[in-house]
């Protein structure tokens, strides 16, 4: 029986290997399809993670507020928040303390924050000048408030926590534009505001930017709620919702392109396989004249198709990963990991597609009349 | 009982074109019969019927005791595989298989491939040393000898040869005819279709067909 299998494999292998031009063209058709499918599936899977990171440029997606009647929490809670989210990729956690102060005798809400974290959480803030340096008497003014004061970068302003409190001179380190309420406020380093207002160690809220979308973000909220005392975490719904919508549409687009490519590959491979059948018509006729039945012909062509699918699938899966890697590096600026699951899926899909694409040509092959070998066609 | 018996065989295409009319032919075991005639005379149609690749629309055909007149396509395939060895004018070797693999293909569809036996068949026609060459590496004469080895490998009761020397030079023609003579001497039954008077003359009996009718026997 072995020699029968061996002969079958000999015919299937050599019908391709000893006809290199045809093999190359067919393999190219399968490999291109497999490359795009494997690449697109990788991109489809990676898009949510990559886009989630990209969305972090649009601000925090999680707000942590004092729970119940509290108006502030201890800044010790920031560590607990970080620990609760240890399994997530945290972009930044920016604490904020808000209090009303007089700047150049004008009442204004002043925010105290960690500017290093703020830049990670809200990279969209447009700054003219510099962020205040820790330990220096520097203040960042919102553009609207700066205009009200007539202050510019480098101007000197007075700051006081209220009537009867000490008045201190500060230098305007920069003016910030956000297109939001932040432009009406002034900002100083957190520790300075805590000192000036006598609220040492207090924080009004924390803005958290974490790489997660949809359900995973909901999970993150639950983890913070469970792992941190005295706080109520809230989703920034506007951001989370927009993220979900854009991601959904993007994934749908990638899926659509993948399906279109799949259909095109099927057509392309079918056409190539039909050309192979036409080219091998005489050979099929000969085999039938020698005693091959339709089952033999079907098995040989399906064997050919599956083998082509396997070869093309292996080449295409490798190239597809490189394609997805290149897309990811160029579009998102980050690489992606090789996924054995996608590789296996792509390989199996290539074999199935080539097998399916062989069905019509195989049907044509079985209809070849053995008498053509006597007609000298 | 004759090995091959054609009685009043006719063949019509689409009920209009009459390719063969009232053909009667009897071939005994060990005979060598040549079928001759001009192009379009019906030789190929007759070969198709005898070679179990088509069925006659009239009359009866019995091969080795089996009535193949109304056989179905699968039945014809089995009879062709088990009883007939074919030699073609254009050799029809599978281009991506070596000489010995081409012989083994016939074994594969018949029963079980056996390399030793295939080599022996090639040795029988004098091309054993070319066993591992592809058809493109063989001369026309060598290719035709491989084709004969393939026709012999399953011990057929009838060797059907379609213009076996049609594509060969004189030296190779002589070589192939010598093999046919030896096969005939060994008792093989051979039916050749040919234009060549030399091939026709080598046969024991010559049948001439013109416009679908048997003219002489």
């Amino acid at each position: 029986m072995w020699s029968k299998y061996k002969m079958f494999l000999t015919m299937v292998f050599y019908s391709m290997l000893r006809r290199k031009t045809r093999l190359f063209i067919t393999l190219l058709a399968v490999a291109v399809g497999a490359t795009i499918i494997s690449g697109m599936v990788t991109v489809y899977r990676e898009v949510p993670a990559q886009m989630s990171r990209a969305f972090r440029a649009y601000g925090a997606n999680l707000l942590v507020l004092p729970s119940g009647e509290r108006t502030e929490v201890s800044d010790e809670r920031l560590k607990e928040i970080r620990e609760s989210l240890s399994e997530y990729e945290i972009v930044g956690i920016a604490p904020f303390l808000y209090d009303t102060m007089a700047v150049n005798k004008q009442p204004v809400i002043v925010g105290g924050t960690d500017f290093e974290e703020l830049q990670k959480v809200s990279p969209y803030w447009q700054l003219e000048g510099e962020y205040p340096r820790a330990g220096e008497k520097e203040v960042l003014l919102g553009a609207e408030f700066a205009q009200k004061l007539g202050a510019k970068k480098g101007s000197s302003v007075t700051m006081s926590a209220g009537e009867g409190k000490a008045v201190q001179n500060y230098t305007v380190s920069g003016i910030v534009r956000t297109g939001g309420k932040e432009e009406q406020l002034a900002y100083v380093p957190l520790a300075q505001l805590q000192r000036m207002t006598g609220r040492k160690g207090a924080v009004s809220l924390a803005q958290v930017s974490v790489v997660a979308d949809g359900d995973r973000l909901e999970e993150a909220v639950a983890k913070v709620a469970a792992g941190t005392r005295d706080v109520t975490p809230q989703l920034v719904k506007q951001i989370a919702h927009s993220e979900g919508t854009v991601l959904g549409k993007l994934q749908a687009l990638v899926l659509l392109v993948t399906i279109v490519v799949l259909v095109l590959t099927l057509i392309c491979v079918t056409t190539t396989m039909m050309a192979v059948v036409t080219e091998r018509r005489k050979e099929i006729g000969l085999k039938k004249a020698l005693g091959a039945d339709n089952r033999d012909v079907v098995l040989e062509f399906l064997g050919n198709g599956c083998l082509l699918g396997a070869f093309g699938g292996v080449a295409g899966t490798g190239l597809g990963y490189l394609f997805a890697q290149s897309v990811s590096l160029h579009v998102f600026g980050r690489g992606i990991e090789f996924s054995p699951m996608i590789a296996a899926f792509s390989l199996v899909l290539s074999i199935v597609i080539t097998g399916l694409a062989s069905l019509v040509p195989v049907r044509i092959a079985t209809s070849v009349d053995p008498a053509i070998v006597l007609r000298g066609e | 009982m004759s090995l091959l018996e054609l009685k009043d065989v006719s063949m019509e295409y689409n009920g209009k074109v009459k390719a063969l009319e009232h053909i009667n032919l009897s071939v005994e075991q060990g005979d060598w019969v040549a079928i001759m005639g001009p192009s379009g005379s019906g030789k190929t149609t007759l070969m198709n019927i005898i070679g179990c690749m088509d069925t006659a629309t009239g009359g009866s055909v019995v091969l080795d005791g089996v009535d193949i007149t109304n056989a179905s396509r699968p039945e014809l395939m089995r009879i062709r595989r088990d009883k007939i060895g074919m030699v073609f004018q254009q050799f029809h070797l599978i281009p991506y298989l070596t000489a010995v693999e081409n012989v083994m293909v016939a074994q594969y569809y018949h029963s079980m491939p056996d390399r030793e036996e295939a080599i022996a068949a090639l040795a029988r026609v004098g091309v054993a040393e070319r066993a591992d060459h592809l058809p493109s590496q063989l001369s026309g004469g060598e290719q035709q000898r491989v084709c004969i080895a393939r026709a012999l490998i399953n011990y057929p009761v009838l060797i059907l040869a379609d213009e076996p020397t049609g594509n060969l030079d004189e030296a190779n023609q002589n070589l192939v005819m010598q093999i046919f003579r030896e096969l005939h001497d060994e008792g093989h039954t051979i039916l050749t279709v040919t234009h060549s008077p030399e091939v026709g003359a080598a046969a024991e009996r010559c049948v001439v067909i013109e416009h679908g009718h048997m003219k002489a026997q």
Side-chain angles (χ1 to χ4, degrees), chain A residues 4 14 18 280 282-283 286-288 291 300 373-374, chain B residues 48 53 77 80 88 90 92 96 101 108-109 111 113 162:
Chain A
K4 194 122 182 159
Y14 288 138
R18 286 181 184 156
R280 294 174 65 185
K282 207 180 276 182
E283 179 195 322
L286 169 76
K287 285 179 173 173
K288 285 188 157 190
E300 279 172 40
V373 288
L374 288 179
Chain B
N48 281 340
M53 290 192 266
M77 183 274 293
R80 184 168 67 233
F88 308 101
Q90 288 156 334
H92 290 312
Y96 53 83
E101 286 164 352
Y108 170 75
Y109 293 125
S111 48
D162 178 28

PDB file of all heavy atoms in Angstrom, chain A residues 4 14 18 280 282-283 286-288 291 300 373-374, chain B residues 48 53 77 80 88 90 92 96 101 108-109 111 113 162:
ATOM      1  N   LYS A   4       1.802   2.676  -3.208  1.00  0.00           N
ATOM      2  CA  LYS A   4       0.678   3.361  -3.855  1.00  0.00           C
ATOM      3  C   LYS A   4       0.660   4.832  -3.378  1.00  0.00           C
ATOM      4  O   LYS A   4       0.533   5.748  -4.184  1.00  0.00           O
ATOM      5  CB  LYS A   4      -0.632   2.652  -3.479  1.00  0.00           C
ATOM      6  CG  LYS A   4      -1.786   3.064  -4.331  1.00  0.00           C
ATOM      7  CD  LYS A   4      -2.419   1.877  -5.034  1.00  0.00           C
ATOM      8  CE  LYS A   4      -3.558   2.358  -5.915  1.00  0.00           C
ATOM      9  NZ  LYS A   4      -3.923   1.449  -6.952  1.00  0.00           N
ATOM     10  N   TYR A  14       5.813  16.178  -7.934  1.00  0.00           N
ATOM     11  CA  TYR A  14       6.572  16.492  -9.149  1.00  0.00           C
ATOM     12  C   TYR A  14       5.745  17.230 -10.198  1.00  0.00           C
ATOM     13  O   TYR A  14       6.312  17.909 -11.044  1.00  0.00           O
ATOM     14  CB  TYR A  14       7.210  15.223  -9.721  1.00  0.00           C
ATOM     15  CG  TYR A  14       8.373  14.744  -8.875  1.00  0.00           C
ATOM     16  CD1 TYR A  14       8.559  13.409  -8.585  1.00  0.00           C
ATOM     17  CD2 TYR A  14       9.282  15.662  -8.346  1.00  0.00           C
ATOM     18  CE1 TYR A  14       9.614  12.983  -7.793  1.00  0.00           C
ATOM     19  CE2 TYR A  14      10.330  15.249  -7.549  1.00  0.00           C
ATOM     20  CZ  TYR A  14      10.494  13.908  -7.280  1.00  0.00           C
ATOM     21  OH  TYR A  14      11.536  13.501  -6.492  1.00  0.00           O
ATOM     22  N   ARG A  18       8.515  19.969 -10.876  1.00  0.00           N
ATOM     23  CA  ARG A  18       9.230  19.875 -12.149  1.00  0.00           C
ATOM     24  C   ARG A  18       8.615  20.782 -13.206  1.00  0.00           C
ATOM     25  O   ARG A  18       8.999  20.722 -14.364  1.00  0.00           O
ATOM     26  CB  ARG A  18       9.270  18.414 -12.630  1.00  0.00           C
ATOM     27  CG  ARG A  18      10.257  17.586 -11.817  1.00  0.00           C
ATOM     28  CD  ARG A  18      10.312  16.147 -12.294  1.00  0.00           C
ATOM     29  NE  ARG A  18      11.190  15.361 -11.434  1.00  0.00           N
ATOM     30  CZ  ARG A  18      11.097  14.045 -11.309  1.00  0.00           C
ATOM     31  NH1 ARG A  18      10.170  13.387 -11.951  1.00  0.00           N
ATOM     32  NH2 ARG A  18      11.929  13.395 -10.524  1.00  0.00           N
ATOM     33  N   ARG A 280      -3.127  20.825 -18.567  1.00  0.00           N
ATOM     34  CA  ARG A 280      -2.883  19.403 -18.307  1.00  0.00           C
ATOM     35  C   ARG A 280      -4.010  18.506 -18.835  1.00  0.00           C
ATOM     36  O   ARG A 280      -4.134  17.365 -18.405  1.00  0.00           O
ATOM     37  CB  ARG A 280      -2.678  19.194 -16.806  1.00  0.00           C
ATOM     38  CG  ARG A 280      -1.409  19.858 -16.303  1.00  0.00           C
ATOM     39  CD  ARG A 280      -1.285  19.772 -14.805  1.00  0.00           C
ATOM     40  NE  ARG A 280      -1.140  18.400 -14.349  1.00  0.00           N
ATOM     41  CZ  ARG A 280      -1.106  18.066 -13.057  1.00  0.00           C
ATOM     42  NH1 ARG A 280      -1.177  18.994 -12.147  1.00  0.00           N
ATOM     43  NH2 ARG A 280      -0.984  16.804 -12.706  1.00  0.00           N
ATOM     44  N   LYS A 282      -4.462  17.082 -21.693  1.00  0.00           N
ATOM     45  CA  LYS A 282      -3.983  15.885 -22.382  1.00  0.00           C
ATOM     46  C   LYS A 282      -3.484  14.850 -21.369  1.00  0.00           C
ATOM     47  O   LYS A 282      -3.707  13.659 -21.525  1.00  0.00           O
ATOM     48  CB  LYS A 282      -2.854  16.278 -23.346  1.00  0.00           C
ATOM     49  CG  LYS A 282      -2.736  15.327 -24.519  1.00  0.00           C
ATOM     50  CD  LYS A 282      -1.625  15.724 -25.437  1.00  0.00           C
ATOM     51  CE  LYS A 282      -2.059  16.772 -26.419  1.00  0.00           C
ATOM     52  NZ  LYS A 282      -0.974  17.127 -27.358  1.00  0.00           N
ATOM     53  N   GLU A 283      -2.814  15.357 -20.341  1.00  0.00           N
ATOM     54  CA  GLU A 283      -2.294  14.463 -19.298  1.00  0.00           C
ATOM     55  C   GLU A 283      -3.450  13.774 -18.561  1.00  0.00           C
ATOM     56  O   GLU A 283      -3.373  12.573 -18.255  1.00  0.00           O
ATOM     57  CB  GLU A 283      -1.456  15.301 -18.321  1.00  0.00           C
ATOM     58  CG  GLU A 283      -0.873  14.490 -17.185  1.00  0.00           C
ATOM     59  CD  GLU A 283      -0.370  15.382 -16.071  1.00  0.00           C
ATOM     60  OE1 GLU A 283       0.192  16.451 -16.365  1.00  0.00           O
ATOM     61  OE2 GLU A 283      -0.564  15.016 -14.897  1.00  0.00           O
ATOM     62  N   LEU A 286      -4.786  11.181 -20.802  1.00  0.00           N
ATOM     63  CA  LEU A 286      -3.877  10.030 -20.818  1.00  0.00           C
ATOM     64  C   LEU A 286      -4.099   9.163 -19.576  1.00  0.00           C
ATOM     65  O   LEU A 286      -4.199   7.929 -19.666  1.00  0.00           O
ATOM     66  CB  LEU A 286      -2.418  10.511 -20.859  1.00  0.00           C
ATOM     67  CG  LEU A 286      -1.413   9.400 -20.612  1.00  0.00           C
ATOM     68  CD1 LEU A 286      -1.260   8.516 -21.843  1.00  0.00           C
ATOM     69  CD2 LEU A 286      -0.070   9.937 -20.188  1.00  0.00           C
ATOM     70  N   LYS A 287      -4.159   9.816 -18.413  1.00  0.00           N
ATOM     71  CA  LYS A 287      -4.328   9.056 -17.173  1.00  0.00           C
ATOM     72  C   LYS A 287      -5.634   8.274 -17.207  1.00  0.00           C
ATOM     73  O   LYS A 287      -5.697   7.131 -16.745  1.00  0.00           O
ATOM     74  CB  LYS A 287      -4.286   9.999 -15.970  1.00  0.00           C
ATOM     75  CG  LYS A 287      -2.859  10.465 -15.668  1.00  0.00           C
ATOM     76  CD  LYS A 287      -2.799  11.416 -14.512  1.00  0.00           C
ATOM     77  CE  LYS A 287      -1.346  11.718 -14.148  1.00  0.00           C
ATOM     78  NZ  LYS A 287      -1.233  12.768 -13.134  1.00  0.00           N
ATOM     79  N   LYS A 288      -6.671   8.917 -17.753  1.00  0.00           N
ATOM     80  CA  LYS A 288      -7.946   8.203 -17.866  1.00  0.00           C
ATOM     81  C   LYS A 288      -7.819   7.038 -18.851  1.00  0.00           C
ATOM     82  O   LYS A 288      -8.370   5.960 -18.625  1.00  0.00           O
ATOM     83  CB  LYS A 288      -9.046   9.158 -18.311  1.00  0.00           C
ATOM     84  CG  LYS A 288      -9.498  10.090 -17.200  1.00  0.00           C
ATOM     85  CD  LYS A 288     -10.703  10.872 -17.652  1.00  0.00           C
ATOM     86  CE  LYS A 288     -11.498  11.370 -16.470  1.00  0.00           C
ATOM     87  NZ  LYS A 288     -12.784  11.920 -16.891  1.00  0.00           N
ATOM     88  N   GLY A 291      -6.448   4.172 -17.221  1.00  0.00           N
ATOM     89  CA  GLY A 291      -7.290   3.501 -16.224  1.00  0.00           C
ATOM     90  C   GLY A 291      -7.614   4.322 -14.995  1.00  0.00           C
ATOM     91  O   GLY A 291      -8.176   3.789 -14.027  1.00  0.00           O
ATOM     92  N   GLU A 300      -5.801  13.735  -7.091  1.00  0.00           N
ATOM     93  CA  GLU A 300      -4.540  14.333  -7.532  1.00  0.00           C
ATOM     94  C   GLU A 300      -4.622  15.851  -7.581  1.00  0.00           C
ATOM     95  O   GLU A 300      -3.724  16.549  -7.100  1.00  0.00           O
ATOM     96  CB  GLU A 300      -4.144  13.786  -8.905  1.00  0.00           C
ATOM     97  CG  GLU A 300      -3.479  12.416  -8.785  1.00  0.00           C
ATOM     98  CD  GLU A 300      -3.257  11.768 -10.134  1.00  0.00           C
ATOM     99  OE1 GLU A 300      -2.876  12.482 -11.069  1.00  0.00           O
ATOM    100  OE2 GLU A 300      -3.477  10.547 -10.241  1.00  0.00           O
ATOM    101  N   VAL A 373      -6.486  11.655 -26.311  1.00  0.00           N
ATOM    102  CA  VAL A 373      -5.115  11.203 -26.549  1.00  0.00           C
ATOM    103  C   VAL A 373      -4.976  10.497 -27.896  1.00  0.00           C
ATOM    104  O   VAL A 373      -3.888  10.383 -28.439  1.00  0.00           O
ATOM    105  CB  VAL A 373      -4.588  10.265 -25.426  1.00  0.00           C
ATOM    106  CG1 VAL A 373      -4.334  11.031 -24.168  1.00  0.00           C
ATOM    107  CG2 VAL A 373      -5.535   9.113 -25.194  1.00  0.00           C
ATOM    108  N   LEU A 374      -6.093  10.014 -28.420  1.00  0.00           N
ATOM    109  CA  LEU A 374      -6.036   9.357 -29.726  1.00  0.00           C
ATOM    110  C   LEU A 374      -6.300  10.327 -30.863  1.00  0.00           C
ATOM    111  O   LEU A 374      -5.976  10.065 -32.007  1.00  0.00           O
ATOM    112  CB  LEU A 374      -7.060   8.212 -29.792  1.00  0.00           C
ATOM    113  CG  LEU A 374      -6.718   6.981 -28.967  1.00  0.00           C
ATOM    114  CD1 LEU A 374      -7.821   5.939 -29.097  1.00  0.00           C
ATOM    115  CD2 LEU A 374      -5.394   6.377 -29.403  1.00  0.00           C
TER     116      LEU A 374
ATOM    117  N   ASN B  48     -11.316   4.229 -30.872  1.00  0.00           N
ATOM    118  CA  ASN B  48     -12.007   4.647 -29.646  1.00  0.00           C
ATOM    119  C   ASN B  48     -12.961   3.565 -29.165  1.00  0.00           C
ATOM    120  O   ASN B  48     -13.072   3.314 -27.962  1.00  0.00           O
ATOM    121  CB  ASN B  48     -12.795   5.947 -29.880  1.00  0.00           C
ATOM    122  CG  ASN B  48     -11.893   7.165 -29.838  1.00  0.00           C
ATOM    123  OD1 ASN B  48     -10.790   7.108 -29.294  1.00  0.00           O
ATOM    124  ND2 ASN B  48     -12.338   8.260 -30.417  1.00  0.00           N
ATOM    125  N   MET B  53     -13.065   3.661 -25.241  1.00  0.00           N
ATOM    126  CA  MET B  53     -13.171   5.075 -24.902  1.00  0.00           C
ATOM    127  C   MET B  53     -14.471   5.657 -25.449  1.00  0.00           C
ATOM    128  O   MET B  53     -14.798   6.801 -25.193  1.00  0.00           O
ATOM    129  CB  MET B  53     -11.955   5.829 -25.429  1.00  0.00           C
ATOM    130  CG  MET B  53     -10.720   5.435 -24.612  1.00  0.00           C
ATOM    131  SD  MET B  53      -9.319   6.465 -24.880  1.00  0.00           S
ATOM    132  CE  MET B  53      -8.476   5.573 -26.128  1.00  0.00           C
ATOM    133  N   MET B  77     -13.893   1.967 -18.410  1.00  0.00           N
ATOM    134  CA  MET B  77     -12.606   2.335 -17.804  1.00  0.00           C
ATOM    135  C   MET B  77     -11.913   1.087 -17.223  1.00  0.00           C
ATOM    136  O   MET B  77     -10.730   0.861 -17.429  1.00  0.00           O
ATOM    137  CB  MET B  77     -12.849   3.397 -16.710  1.00  0.00           C
ATOM    138  CG  MET B  77     -11.622   3.940 -16.031  1.00  0.00           C
ATOM    139  SD  MET B  77     -11.119   2.911 -14.651  1.00  0.00           S
ATOM    140  CE  MET B  77     -12.475   3.177 -13.525  1.00  0.00           C
ATOM    141  N   ARG B  80     -10.738  -1.207 -20.044  1.00  0.00           N
ATOM    142  CA  ARG B  80      -9.573  -0.582 -20.701  1.00  0.00           C
ATOM    143  C   ARG B  80      -8.322  -0.784 -19.841  1.00  0.00           C
ATOM    144  O   ARG B  80      -7.265  -1.146 -20.318  1.00  0.00           O
ATOM    145  CB  ARG B  80      -9.885   0.913 -20.860  1.00  0.00           C
ATOM    146  CG  ARG B  80      -8.852   1.712 -21.594  1.00  0.00           C
ATOM    147  CD  ARG B  80      -9.407   3.082 -21.944  1.00  0.00           C
ATOM    148  NE  ARG B  80      -9.655   3.900 -20.776  1.00  0.00           N
ATOM    149  CZ  ARG B  80     -10.800   4.502 -20.484  1.00  0.00           C
ATOM    150  NH1 ARG B  80     -11.834   4.367 -21.273  1.00  0.00           N
ATOM    151  NH2 ARG B  80     -10.928   5.248 -19.404  1.00  0.00           N
ATOM    152  N   PHE B  88       0.882   5.384 -28.287  1.00  0.00           N
ATOM    153  CA  PHE B  88       0.385   6.555 -29.017  1.00  0.00           C
ATOM    154  C   PHE B  88       1.431   7.120 -29.978  1.00  0.00           C
ATOM    155  O   PHE B  88       2.633   7.044 -29.714  1.00  0.00           O
ATOM    156  CB  PHE B  88      -0.009   7.655 -28.026  1.00  0.00           C
ATOM    157  CG  PHE B  88      -0.937   7.186 -26.946  1.00  0.00           C
ATOM    158  CD1 PHE B  88      -0.461   6.885 -25.663  1.00  0.00           C
ATOM    159  CD2 PHE B  88      -2.285   7.016 -27.192  1.00  0.00           C
ATOM    160  CE1 PHE B  88      -1.309   6.443 -24.675  1.00  0.00           C
ATOM    161  CE2 PHE B  88      -3.145   6.574 -26.199  1.00  0.00           C
ATOM    162  CZ  PHE B  88      -2.651   6.278 -24.931  1.00  0.00           C
ATOM    163  N   GLN B  90       2.013  10.248 -30.383  1.00  0.00           N
ATOM    164  CA  GLN B  90       2.749  11.342 -29.724  1.00  0.00           C
ATOM    165  C   GLN B  90       3.298  10.929 -28.362  1.00  0.00           C
ATOM    166  O   GLN B  90       3.575  11.777 -27.513  1.00  0.00           O
ATOM    167  CB  GLN B  90       1.837  12.562 -29.594  1.00  0.00           C
ATOM    168  CG  GLN B  90       1.619  13.219 -30.941  1.00  0.00           C
ATOM    169  CD  GLN B  90       0.335  14.028 -30.988  1.00  0.00           C
ATOM    170  OE1 GLN B  90      -0.617  13.753 -30.262  1.00  0.00           O
ATOM    171  NE2 GLN B  90       0.309  15.018 -31.855  1.00  0.00           N
ATOM    172  N   HIS B  92       2.793  10.539 -25.466  1.00  0.00           N
ATOM    173  CA  HIS B  92       2.010  10.911 -24.286  1.00  0.00           C
ATOM    174  C   HIS B  92       2.636  10.420 -22.994  1.00  0.00           C
ATOM    175  O   HIS B  92       1.983   9.753 -22.180  1.00  0.00           O
ATOM    176  CB  HIS B  92       0.572  10.388 -24.393  1.00  0.00           C
ATOM    177  CG  HIS B  92      -0.226  11.090 -25.440  1.00  0.00           C
ATOM    178  ND1 HIS B  92      -0.273  12.459 -25.555  1.00  0.00           N
ATOM    179  CD2 HIS B  92      -1.007  10.608 -26.441  1.00  0.00           C
ATOM    180  CE1 HIS B  92      -1.053  12.787 -26.569  1.00  0.00           C
ATOM    181  NE2 HIS B  92      -1.496  11.693 -27.138  1.00  0.00           N
ATOM    182  N   TYR B  96       6.543  15.416 -16.226  1.00  0.00           N
ATOM    183  CA  TYR B  96       7.245  15.649 -14.959  1.00  0.00           C
ATOM    184  C   TYR B  96       7.618  14.352 -14.240  1.00  0.00           C
ATOM    185  O   TYR B  96       8.092  14.381 -13.116  1.00  0.00           O
ATOM    186  CB  TYR B  96       6.408  16.560 -14.038  1.00  0.00           C
ATOM    187  CG  TYR B  96       4.992  16.073 -13.825  1.00  0.00           C
ATOM    188  CD1 TYR B  96       4.707  15.098 -12.871  1.00  0.00           C
ATOM    189  CD2 TYR B  96       3.947  16.582 -14.569  1.00  0.00           C
ATOM    190  CE1 TYR B  96       3.421  14.646 -12.677  1.00  0.00           C
ATOM    191  CE2 TYR B  96       2.647  16.137 -14.389  1.00  0.00           C
ATOM    192  CZ  TYR B  96       2.394  15.177 -13.430  1.00  0.00           C
ATOM    193  OH  TYR B  96       1.114  14.724 -13.244  1.00  0.00           O
ATOM    194  N   GLU B 101       8.914   6.078 -13.756  1.00  0.00           N
ATOM    195  CA  GLU B 101       7.689   6.550 -13.091  1.00  0.00           C
ATOM    196  C   GLU B 101       6.511   6.556 -14.065  1.00  0.00           C
ATOM    197  O   GLU B 101       5.377   6.273 -13.684  1.00  0.00           O
ATOM    198  CB  GLU B 101       7.901   7.952 -12.507  1.00  0.00           C
ATOM    199  CG  GLU B 101       8.771   7.957 -11.252  1.00  0.00           C
ATOM    200  CD  GLU B 101       9.306   9.338 -10.877  1.00  0.00           C
ATOM    201  OE1 GLU B 101       9.134  10.304 -11.664  1.00  0.00           O
ATOM    202  OE2 GLU B 101       9.926   9.443  -9.806  1.00  0.00           O
ATOM    203  N   TYR B 108       0.069   1.932 -11.135  1.00  0.00           N
ATOM    204  CA  TYR B 108      -0.630   2.617 -10.048  1.00  0.00           C
ATOM    205  C   TYR B 108      -2.143   2.577 -10.265  1.00  0.00           C
ATOM    206  O   TYR B 108      -2.897   2.284  -9.345  1.00  0.00           O
ATOM    207  CB  TYR B 108      -0.119   4.055  -9.973  1.00  0.00           C
ATOM    208  CG  TYR B 108      -0.892   4.982  -9.064  1.00  0.00           C
ATOM    209  CD1 TYR B 108      -0.757   4.909  -7.673  1.00  0.00           C
ATOM    210  CD2 TYR B 108      -1.769   5.936  -9.582  1.00  0.00           C
ATOM    211  CE1 TYR B 108      -1.458   5.761  -6.837  1.00  0.00           C
ATOM    212  CE2 TYR B 108      -2.470   6.792  -8.763  1.00  0.00           C
ATOM    213  CZ  TYR B 108      -2.315   6.706  -7.397  1.00  0.00           C
ATOM    214  OH  TYR B 108      -3.014   7.551  -6.566  1.00  0.00           O
ATOM    215  N   TYR B 109      -2.569   2.864 -11.513  1.00  0.00           N
ATOM    216  CA  TYR B 109      -4.010   2.871 -11.768  1.00  0.00           C
ATOM    217  C   TYR B 109      -4.574   1.459 -11.902  1.00  0.00           C
ATOM    218  O   TYR B 109      -5.758   1.236 -11.708  1.00  0.00           O
ATOM    219  CB  TYR B 109      -4.331   3.681 -13.039  1.00  0.00           C
ATOM    220  CG  TYR B 109      -4.033   5.161 -12.873  1.00  0.00           C
ATOM    221  CD1 TYR B 109      -3.200   5.834 -13.749  1.00  0.00           C
ATOM    222  CD2 TYR B 109      -4.593   5.873 -11.818  1.00  0.00           C
ATOM    223  CE1 TYR B 109      -2.925   7.177 -13.592  1.00  0.00           C
ATOM    224  CE2 TYR B 109      -4.317   7.222 -11.650  1.00  0.00           C
ATOM    225  CZ  TYR B 109      -3.482   7.865 -12.530  1.00  0.00           C
ATOM    226  OH  TYR B 109      -3.217   9.198 -12.362  1.00  0.00           O
ATOM    227  N   SER B 111      -3.061  -1.627 -10.379  1.00  0.00           N
ATOM    228  CA  SER B 111      -3.022  -2.406  -9.136  1.00  0.00           C
ATOM    229  C   SER B 111      -2.056  -1.771  -8.146  1.00  0.00           C
ATOM    230  O   SER B 111      -2.453  -0.942  -7.332  1.00  0.00           O
ATOM    231  CB  SER B 111      -2.595  -3.844  -9.442  1.00  0.00           C
ATOM    232  OG  SER B 111      -1.436  -3.849 -10.285  1.00  0.00           O
ATOM    233  N   PRO B 113       2.071  -0.111  -7.811  1.00  0.00           N
ATOM    234  CA  PRO B 113       3.335   0.221  -8.490  1.00  0.00           C
ATOM    235  C   PRO B 113       4.478  -0.671  -7.991  1.00  0.00           C
ATOM    236  O   PRO B 113       4.554  -0.961  -6.800  1.00  0.00           O
ATOM    237  CB  PRO B 113       3.592   1.681  -8.095  1.00  0.00           C
ATOM    238  CG  PRO B 113       2.366   2.159  -7.428  1.00  0.00           C
ATOM    239  CD  PRO B 113       1.625   0.975  -6.928  1.00  0.00           C
ATOM    240  N   ASP B 162      -1.592   3.433 -31.944  1.00  0.00           N
ATOM    241  CA  ASP B 162      -2.079   4.468 -32.859  1.00  0.00           C
ATOM    242  C   ASP B 162      -0.880   5.137 -33.526  1.00  0.00           C
ATOM    243  O   ASP B 162      -0.145   5.868 -32.873  1.00  0.00           O
ATOM    244  CB  ASP B 162      -2.889   5.492 -32.046  1.00  0.00           C
ATOM    245  CG  ASP B 162      -3.392   6.637 -32.900  1.00  0.00           C
ATOM    246  OD1 ASP B 162      -3.599   6.440 -34.103  1.00  0.00           O
ATOM    247  OD2 ASP B 162      -3.578   7.741 -32.346  1.00  0.00           O
TER     248      ASP B 162
END
